Amino acid sequence: MNVNIKIKLFATLRAPSTETADCYSIPAGTTVHALLEQLKIPVEEVNLVFINGNCGNLTSILEGGDRLSVFPSLGGG
Amino acid sequence: MPYGYNGKILHVNLTDLNFEIETPEEIFYRRYIGGSGLAAYYLLKNIGPGVDPLGPENVLIFTGSVVTGAPFSGFSRYTVAAKSPLTGGFGESEAGGYFGPELKFSGFDAVVIKGKAPKPVYLWINNGRVELKDADAVWGLGNAETLDKIREDVGDDKARIASIGPAGERMVLFANVMNELAHANGRCGMGAVMGSKHLKAVACRGDAKHLEFADAEHVKKLVSWHNQRIKEHLPNQNMRKYGTPMFVVGLNKAGILPTRNWRESVFEGAEKIGVPGYEKILKRNATCYRCAVGCKRVVETAEPYHVNPRYGGPEYETLASFGSLCGIDDLGAVAKANELCNHNGLDTIGAGAVVAFAMECFENGVLTAADADGRKILFGDADGMLWLVDKIVNRKGLGDLLAQGVKRAAQKIGDKAQAYAFTIKGQEIPLHDPRGKTGIGLSFALSPTGADHVETPHDTIFVGDAVKLLAPLGILDPVVPLALDEAKVHFFKQGQLSWGLNNVLGICNFVDAPLFALSYEKLIEAVKAITGWETSLWELLRATERSEVMARIFNNREGFGPEDDCLFRRLHEPIPAGPLKGQRIDPDRMKKAIQLYYEMMGWDEQGRPLPAKLHDLSLGWLMETESDG
């Protein structure tokens, strides 16, 4: 079964087709990590994920209607 | 009795070789807390305006905070402070490692050092006993040999030591203080101040058991919660897996990796010096006292650039300063430069910046082969870079000129060199391009220590939903990295309080809120459980503002004004190529933003905190000090 989610990629992670996908179809039970691989986003460049406005992880499981934001590591120190 | 701290400050007079112990009241600790706050207090109280930073009148401070040494990941940072010989203003630099907690265990919350020893000495603090010991045998040695010999001399192989190398002894103006060979109080030339005092090292040892926490059980619970979250929280997982080298490729992709002395912002060799290239030389992770993150790196390189692994491995700032800023993509050479700096006690940001400045001078004929024993050292010349670092340490020829930092070297070379000389308040620039994150531009311009990259959030992290992390600071609207408007000034002012709190409490930026594992709520719980104070984020951020205002007043007293709160020429010019091509910072807009910041802070148009602000922060005693200046 597939479910639909919203995806927003930030800064250097943007890809033309998925920069903002308001209705992206994924198999139910997909993890953030699996989705990022599917989108060919280098996982090692992802530093922060938010799901529905809350801090998530690569292992978080996505559900229908979720809003996923993905941020790269652009800090310093 | 105090919980979490000793209630004792050690004052050492090196001229007379004596010392005394001060026992301040609890209210003093609650007001100044530690780190930059406590350091600013003692600098203002002990130094009048105009003293020579390398003279015996300067005061050198080593200080943790009321929570330093508590067994939390990242509660290990400590501050070294003095009037800076590089900027002539407030000098402060933090380092992690092991020295900060050990100083606390040795029986003192801070050491305040005045005068100049008649001959080289080191300070040995052992469970409350204080001794000034002869340093003849270690004067002239690098940091590893110094560490080994002092441990042998005191007969304790677990003594923790903060020391200077030959660069500090020779008063290279960007000399640092190293602890445990891989942790640096890098900025502001604190190593030169130590050298000027004939103080080779501070060694300490103590028993942690004498420190009691107000609620030891709760401390234990919170530590365990924090360390578990560090394992599960993605930014901390990344910090462990890749360390700060991960920033190289990310910032390069974003088009803001300072390259060839700020001439460019994209470096073709980024992947070689950052992750993934770094994985090839990574030997193992290392860490600081009780820290579960483990972001530090130990590297191993092959000939011709074999490095001693005891000196760790280059961090992001070092990779960019000796790498992209010098146009060098040979990671072995960059690792070697890092080792040379850690061995000899040089700030890697300052050293890389001064080499990159010299390279651009060579490129443009402002320096010639006649200035460098027949060498013409251009961008990309790894051997030339290492040769220059060696000359700087030994203060030979061109190295002696560069040992004075970019600003003074350019003044001495002449007008043509000014076009390639980039500093703020005389401080070389950290490796972050404010044209892609204007909040960092405000931080560069307004930091009391000259350009600083760890006093404020980096705009690029807190875009979109990620701004929710900043909500406890009252920042609710998503940050726009390229905007320089009223919202950005507010973001900077509030963010600066949070980052500044880490400098006051002595906490690493990679363990706590807003981005990392320890939330603001848990951080406050931790301070309460350690000290027993019924405190709040509000009270602690006020203490942070107090420390910022004290540093500002120190600089105002030294003659700094709004004209010193500025960026440097290249940031006002468009980025020549890459994803942010054409991006620049408008100088007038920057000036307006700075004026707005003064107003938000309760400072006048000259950037002087108003009397009402001083009273508001219980700093009325500074009214007199300020009018003296």
Side-chain angles (χ1 to χ4, degrees):
Chain A
M1 192 189 85
N2 273 19
V3 294
N4 291 328
I5 60 163
K6 280 186 185 183
I7 303 173
K8 189 161 171 61
L9 304 176
F10 284 85
T12 51
L13 300 177
R14 277 178 210 151
S17 57
T18 46
E19 185 182 328
T20 49
D22 278 346
C23 190
Y24 193 86
S25 178
I26 55 165
T30 300
T31 63
V32 173
H33 193 281
L35 175 67
L36 294 174
E37 282 190 333
Q38 192 188 322
L39 294 172
K40 295 193 168 46
I41 292 166
V43 175
E44 69 276 9
E45 290 179 24
V46 173
N47 201 40
L48 202 56
V49 296
F50 268 72
I51 301 164
N52 304 325
N54 297 313
C55 206
N57 263 322
L58 292 178
T59 49
S60 302
I61 291 168
L62 296 163
E63 291 173 9
D66 277 351
R67 191 178 84 245
L68 173 71
S69 298
V70 190
F71 306 86
S73 173
L74 284 178
Chain B
M1 64 166 282
Y3 290 110
Y5 61 98
N6 295 292
K8 286 182 189 166
I9 311 279
L10 176 65
H11 292 264
V12 178
N13 187 328
L14 290 173
T15 306
D16 307 333
L17 300 174
N18 65 18
F19 66 91
E20 57 189 64
I21 295 166
E22 179 193 1
T23 53
E25 298 292 319
E26 183 183 19
I27 192 172
F28 169 85
Y29 284 95
R30 191 142 177 175
R31 191 164 279 157
Y32 302 106
I33 309 233
S36 53
L38 197 134
Y41 172 85
Y42 282 110
L43 288 184
L44 284 162
K45 283 279 184 186
N46 287 281
I47 309 178
V51 307
D52 175 4
L54 298 177
E57 306 82 13
N58 200 0
V59 168
L60 178 70
I61 296 155
F62 289 74
T63 179
S65 84
V66 292
V67 301
T68 305
F72 284 87
S73 289
F75 281 29
S76 63
R77 271 166 102 230
Y78 80 105
T79 298
V80 179
K83 181 175 177 180
S84 166
L86 201 56
T87 68
F90 183 75
E92 169 206 351
S93 190
E94 278 73 31
Y98 298 84
F99 179 85
E102 200 69 36
L103 174 64
K104 186 81 160 286
F105 305 152
S106 78
F108 299 101
D109 304 308
V111 186
V112 181
I113 301 165
K114 291 180 193 170
K116 177 184 178 179
K119 56 189 285 237
V121 294
Y122 72 89
L123 181 63
W124 169 229
I125 310 170
N126 183 12
N127 272 313
R129 292 187 300 277
V130 183
E131 209 178 331
L132 281 161
K133 292 178 72 89
D134 192 322
D136 272 346
V138 287
W139 197 254
L141 298 184
N143 281 309
E145 292 77 14
T146 301
L147 181 84
D148 295 344
K149 277 189 182 288
I150 289 181
R151 280 185 178 159
E152 203 182 305
D153 195 33
V154 299
D156 190 334
D157 62 4
K158 287 184 177 145
R160 298 295 187 182
I161 296 164
S163 59
I164 56 167
E169 294 171 15
R170 295 179 191 128
M171 291 178 269
V172 175
L173 293 188
F174 45 90
N176 70 13
V177 179
M178 297 292 303
N179 82 84
E180 303 303 305
L181 310 184
H183 308 270
N185 300 89
R187 318 263 28 230
C188 297
M190 296 297 99
V193 175
M194 221 164 137
S196 76
K197 296 188 171 304
H198 280 163
L199 180 65
K200 177 68 175 174
V202 179
C204 46
R205 184 81 165 100
D207 186 351
K209 286 183 193 138
H210 80 270
L211 283 176
E212 281 186 34
F213 303 125
D215 186 344
E217 270 311 299
H218 199 50
V219 166
K220 215 168 160 184
K221 263 189 213 159
L222 286 167
V223 166
S224 140
W225 180 91
H226 185 209
N227 288 346
Q228 186 59 34
R229 180 137 202 264
I230 282 172
K231 277 189 202 156
E232 294 161 0
H233 186 51
L234 183 56
N236 277 122
Q237 289 171 335
N238 281 342
M239 200 47 84
R240 180 177 188 82
K241 204 164 173 190
Y242 308 113
T244 60
M246 77 176 149
F247 299 136
V248 176
V249 167
L251 292 172
N252 193 55
K253 278 192 181 173
I256 45 174
L257 182 66
T259 299
R260 285 176 276 268
N261 202 32
W262 297 88
R263 208 171 65 186
E264 296 146 66
S265 301
V266 177
F267 182 49
E268 65 286 355
E271 300 224 341
K272 288 189 187 169
I273 58 170
V275 178
Y278 204 98
E279 302 300 299
K280 291 180 195 156
I281 65 164
L282 181 65
K283 195 177 169 196
R284 61 182 172 84
N285 284 26
T287 192
C288 297
Y289 178 76
R290 294 281 189 123
C291 185
V293 179
C295 71
K296 300 287 290 179
R297 269 47 206 147
V298 177
V299 302
E300 197 164 51
T301 51
E303 293 299 336
Y305 300 122
H306 175 70
V307 300
N308 179 353
R310 290 184 75 191
Y311 287 111
E315 299 279 347
Y316 166 74
E317 297 295 326
T318 312
L319 293 166
S321 68
F322 286 116
S324 55
L325 201 71
C326 291
I328 290 168
D329 66 5
D330 184 331
L331 183 56
V334 174
K336 186 70 192 173
N338 181 64
E339 181 219 53
L340 281 176
C341 287
N342 289 359
H343 177 76
N344 291 293
L346 278 184
D347 172 32
T348 58
I349 297 177
V354 81
V355 171
F357 156 74
M359 284 174 163
E360 195 165 13
C361 287
F362 279 110
E363 296 259 344
N364 291 284
V366 177
L367 287 172
T368 67
D371 295 304
D373 298 0
R375 281 173 178 264
K376 191 176 171 190
I377 301 165
L378 304 176
F379 287 125
D381 179 354
D383 284 335
M385 175 263 285
L386 294 169
W387 183 84
L388 268 180
V389 171
D390 179 66
K391 295 293 169 204
I392 290 167
V393 169
N394 290 296
R395 301 203 69 148
K396 291 274 162 52
L398 179 59
D400 187 44
L401 187 69
L402 299 178
Q404 298 165 61
V406 169
K407 183 182 164 186
R408 289 172 180 81
Q411 281 164 351
K412 289 187 178 163
I413 294 168
D415 283 351
K416 285 184 182 161
Q418 295 294 344
Y420 316 115
F422 308 123
T423 63
I424 296 173
K425 298 183 177 75
Q427 176 92 268
E428 286 75 19
I429 315 295
L431 286 300
H432 296 276
D433 193 334
R435 288 172 292 188
K437 34 183 175 179
T438 58
I440 290 298
L442 286 164
S443 179
F444 278 11
L446 284 158
S447 167
T449 58
D452 189 286
H453 61 294
V454 283
E455 286 182 13
T456 188
H458 289 234
D459 320 31
T460 36
I461 299 171
F462 301 99
V463 293
D465 277 350
V467 78
K468 292 195 177 192
L469 298 170
L470 300 176
L473 301 174
I475 302 168
L476 301 174
D477 297 315
V479 176
V480 182
L482 302 183
L484 186 51
D485 54 8
E486 292 82 357
K488 183 56 66 71
V489 176
H490 177 251
F491 157 79
F492 166 70
K493 173 185 159 280
Q494 294 300 98
Q496 188 191 30
L497 287 174
S498 177
W499 263 247
L501 178 58
N502 283 346
N503 285 349
V504 169
L505 283 172
I507 296 180
C508 174
N509 287 338
F510 299 150
V511 299
D512 69 348
L515 185 58
F516 292 99
L518 192 66
S519 63
Y520 287 113
E521 194 189 345
K522 297 281 185 198
L523 172 64
I524 301 311
E525 262 188 61
V527 177
K528 281 184 186 178
I530 293 166
T531 61
W533 297 343
E534 190 55 45
T535 189
S536 62
L537 184 60
W538 187 85
E539 186 192 9
L540 294 179
L541 294 182
R542 293 285 286 176
T544 306
E545 185 179 358
R546 188 174 294 124
S547 86
E548 287 168 2
V549 164
M550 287 193 289
R552 181 77 190 181
I553 284 179
F554 186 92
N555 279 353
N556 288 346
R557 239 171 43 167
E558 297 289 344
F560 285 79
E563 65 285 358
D564 299 297
D565 295 336
C566 61
L567 296 175
F568 56 94
R569 177 179 58 86
R570 275 205 170 135
L571 300 182
H572 300 307
E573 295 170 357
I575 291 180
L580 287 185
K581 185 179 174 183
Q583 194 66 35
R584 63 188 281 272
I585 290 181
D586 179 74
D588 290 332
R589 191 167 291 181
M590 184 48 117
K591 265 188 198 157
K592 276 185 196 153
I594 287 171
Q595 279 298 329
L596 179 61
Y597 171 81
Y598 292 168
E599 286 178 40
M600 283 188 189
M601 289 293 284
W603 301 359
D604 71 11
E605 71 283 357
Q606 296 297 308
R608 291 176 301 215
L610 291 163
K613 174 55 73 179
L614 295 181
H615 289 302
D616 187 31
L617 292 169
S618 311
L619 289 173
W621 60 272
L622 275 168
M623 302 273 292
E624 201 181 321
T625 318
E626 202 185 16
S627 61
D628 284 350

